Amino acid sequence: MTFEALGLHASVLKALTESGYTAPTSVQEQAVPAAIAGRDLLVSSQTGSGKTAAFMLPALHKFALAGDAPLTDAGRTANQEAQSARSRGERPRFKAAQPKMLVLTPTRELALQVTTATDKYGSFMRRVKAVSILGGMPYPKQMQLLAKNPEILVATPGRLIDHMESGKIDFSQLEILVLDEADRMLDMGFIDDIEKIVAATPASRQTMLFSATLDGVVGNMAQRITKDPMVIQIAGSTNKHENIQQRVHFVDDLSHKNRLLDHILRDETMDQAVVFTATKRDADTIADRLNIAGFAAAALHGDMHQGARNRTLDSMRRGQVRVLVATDVAARGIDVPAITHVVNYDLPKFPEDYVHRIGRTGRAGRNGLAISLVNHAEGMNVKRIERFTKQLIPVDVIEGFEPKRTASAARPSHKPGGWKPGDARSAAPGKSAPRTFSKPGAAPRREGSSFNKGPRTGDTGARRSFSDR
Ligand code: ADP
Ligand code: MG
């Protein structure tokens, strides 16, 4: 299948060639023609499968066909009014922006990522502007962006509501509404904001909803806000992430964990890595320690100002930062193809987050390695993740880094396929990889670096609070 065969406009095709995309991914193959035909879509497919282009390409195609997004009549009138006000020497009244497309995303990083992708896919269109409206960005800057009356708004729900309530945005001309990572937005408590935003848009709009799952609360909302949607489900959770190798390493204590982390990050196949921690403070501390140990490391979490977060992500993209130490909140939108390793320094609180974390590697069809460093007491949490993904995560032991307790002793009663048939997610237990207790060859014993000598002793499970992620 080619992009041409999907019926996309020449200017969009040109941008895709320029981007080095040779063929559509499966989700694009299904979503693009349906979206071009004007259908509402409900889509679930794994992270890294190219969902952004799946909704943005048909939208850009539509704008290109409509004559490269001319100003709406209302927008034109607004401009004329402003001009004549100026010629009368009056200060023109601020006219509300009238976007034609709105993309809602759970986090700022994801919104910026979508905006960047839109700029890329729309680079051969004369005047399609995409603008991000985000919490944490100064209001005057956002007012300037909105005053340009952009065709496409990419926004996090909270800040968007602020602008709507102060009359800065008018959705009467909206044609396309996209909810990206809808499940995550609901997890983050945005349901009321979303309902309010949707209610402000015309009923005639086209709606596309993307979510890891389409049942439960998300499915409920999806039903309410879409009309006769086409449902596209690319991969069940059983065959997710086939290009990502997953492993669990059991650790005895914090110093063991730090030594292992150091070892993993010195792996010669490691290009760039993301290390996930449970708390912002640990993200900072570990990034500092890794820097002292000679890694080009940086922290990324929700306490950092937006500018600092953007700079860090840019350095990561440029390869200046090799190890990013991040919390879940900050990590959602990271899309850097050179990330070969994801390390869970702490396990995530929710199994869903595990899936999102490991999806930071193995982007765009590459292979990735996802390693979880787990205390012996956390076996249950690993089980919860395995139940959720319907995959067993092989336990691995590296020579020279063996835990004092054996892996089998740590998880005595685990049976493959042990989830209950009544479990909503488990119509049939997936084919699981056989559990291995392998020791990968090549790992020579090495003396610990300065990084190994962390100040803490004892393990962290009980002490840590997840609430300050
Ligand atoms: P998702 O939203 O499904 O997690 P993204 O839209 O963020 O995935 O895309 C993941 C990566 O794949 C991005 O780096 C994107 O540039 C790349 N990509 C998307 N579509 C294609 C394609 N057809 N060919 C090659 N790379 C692609
Ligand atoms: Mg996405």
Side-chain angles (χ1 to χ4, degrees):
M1 178 68 86
T2 60
F3 281 111
E4 283 81 2
L6 298 182
L8 287 164
H9 191 273
S11 61
V12 178
L13 292 174
K14 208 164 153 192
L16 291 171
T17 310
E18 195 86 343
S19 307
Y21 293 12
T22 49
T25 64
S26 345
V27 68
Q28 291 161 4
E29 215 173 286
Q30 294 197 37
V32 171
I36 287 179
R39 290 286 301 267
D40 279 4
L41 300 182
L42 298 183
V43 183
S44 85
S45 80
Q46 67 183 74
T47 50
S49 59
K51 291 188 285 292
T52 316
F55 61 76
M56 204 42 91
L57 300 182
L60 291 172
H61 165 88
K62 191 172 178 185
F63 296 145
L65 277 190
D68 213 351
L71 280 175
T72 57
D73 287 346
R76 201 172 285 125
T77 318
N79 272 5
Q80 282 161 359
E81 273 173 22
Q83 233 160 34
S84 53
R86 265 186 230 106
S87 66
R88 290 194 302 272
E90 295 163 16
R91 215 170 147 209
R93 210 157 53 81
F94 184 91
K95 282 286 179 180
Q98 294 182 310
K100 295 172 146 190
M101 178 177 192
L102 170 65
V103 182
L104 289 177
T105 74
T107 66
R108 300 182 266 187
E109 272 74 21
L110 193 60
L112 290 172
Q113 194 189 309
V114 169
T115 310
T116 308
T118 307
D119 290 343
K120 182 163 85 170
Y121 303 145
S123 56
F124 289 92
M125 294 176 64
R126 263 165 296 143
R127 55 169 311 278
V128 168
K129 277 190 301 291
V131 152
S132 324
I133 297 298
L134 313 166
M137 194 190 264
Y139 273 90
K141 170 80 184 151
Q142 297 202 325
M143 300 304 297
Q144 263 174 25
L145 292 174
L146 286 176
K148 293 187 178 139
N149 198 23
E151 288 74 20
I152 303 172
L153 282 190
V154 185
T156 50
R159 180 57 70 92
L160 186 69
I161 292 270
D162 291 350
H163 285 296
M164 281 167 61
E165 286 178 345
S166 58
K168 301 297 184 292
I169 303 175
D170 160 15
F171 283 124
S172 64
Q173 306 297 314
L174 195 86
E175 295 169 17
I176 304 171
L177 171 66
V178 176
L179 283 80
D180 198 9
E181 304 208 359
D183 53 328
R184 183 64 171 188
M185 287 198 279
L186 297 189
D187 278 353
M188 290 170 72
F190 284 134
I191 180 105
D192 292 342
D193 288 349
I194 293 173
E195 301 269 1
K196 216 185 241 176
I197 293 164
V198 172
T201 64
S204 59
R205 68 172 189 270
Q206 178 180 29
T207 308
M208 299 185 243
L209 181 145
F210 294 77
S211 173
T213 160
L214 293 175
D215 28 64
V217 202
V218 185
N220 228 309
M221 182 182 72
Q223 226 169 20
R224 269 178 291 131
I225 69 173
T226 57
K227 286 186 299 286
D228 182 28
M230 176 164 160
V231 179
I232 300 175
Q233 273 172 306
I234 299 295
S237 53
T238 35
N239 49 2
K240 259 182 184 171
H241 297 306
E242 274 164 352
N243 56 335
I244 301 172
Q245 255 196 61
Q246 303 173 54
R247 293 179 194 164
V248 160
H249 287 277
F250 279 99
V251 297
D252 295 320
D253 53 29
L254 199 62
S255 104
H256 186 198
K257 193 186 254 194
N258 285 336
R259 279 189 294 123
L260 250 174
L261 176 64
D262 182 278
H263 177 81
I264 290 162
L265 295 180
R266 289 182 198 281
D267 187 317
E268 57 192 26
T269 65
M270 201 276 274
D271 202 346
Q272 284 180 294
V274 186
V275 176
F276 286 102
T277 63
T279 68
K280 300 171 209 170
R281 201 183 48 198
D282 278 350
D284 283 330
T285 314
I286 291 169
D288 285 349
R289 274 201 254 150
L290 288 172
N291 271 314
I292 291 167
F295 296 96
L300 188 75
H301 55 66
D303 270 357
M304 293 161 60
H305 289 299
Q306 190 60 39
R309 284 159 76 166
N310 293 345
R311 279 194 297 280
T312 301
L313 278 175
D314 280 346
S315 312
M316 186 78 180
R317 272 184 212 106
R318 285 198 300 268
Q320 291 158 338
V321 166
R322 282 191 69 218
V323 182
L324 192 67
V325 190
T327 58
D328 282 309
V329 165
R332 189 76 174 186
I334 300 169
D335 178 23
V336 179
I339 295 173
T340 49
H341 287 54
V342 165
V343 181
N344 290 317
Y345 186 87
D346 298 302
L347 283 177
K349 188 176 178 193
F350 303 108
E352 292 91 323
D353 287 331
Y354 177 84
V355 175
H356 284 286
R357 285 179 177 194
I358 72 171
R360 297 310 106 204
T361 181
R363 305 294 284 176
R366 290 177 172 81
N367 291 324
L369 179 60
I371 299 175
S372 298
L373 306 179
V374 177
N375 314 325
H376 298 293
E378 290 179 311
M380 277 311 291
N381 297 343
V382 176
K383 269 195 188 179
R384 274 174 59 218
I385 292 167
E386 291 180 330
R387 218 175 283 137
F388 180 75
T389 61
K390 301 198 189 83
Q391 282 179 328
L392 289 180
I393 310 172
V395 175
D396 207 347
V397 176
I398 296 177
E399 211 180 325
F401 295 88
E402 299 86 349
K404 291 196 191 81
R405 289 166 64 183
T406 62
S408 49
R411 301 159 76 191
S413 62
H414 186 94
K415 283 196 207 77
W419 47 87
K420 291 189 293 298
D423 182 340
R425 299 187 213 275
S426 59
K431 280 188 228 99
S432 333
R435 185 177 296 286
T436 58
F437 295 88
S438 66
K439 52 170 171 46
R445 193 175 193 136
R446 214 178 333 97
E447 290 310 307
S449 73
S450 60
F451 172 64
N452 298 340
K453 303 182 185 75
R456 289 196 221 123
T457 53
D459 220 331
T460 55
R463 178 185 55 77
R464 233 179 233 131
S465 134
F466 282 101
S467 58
D468 63 341
R469 281 199 293 172

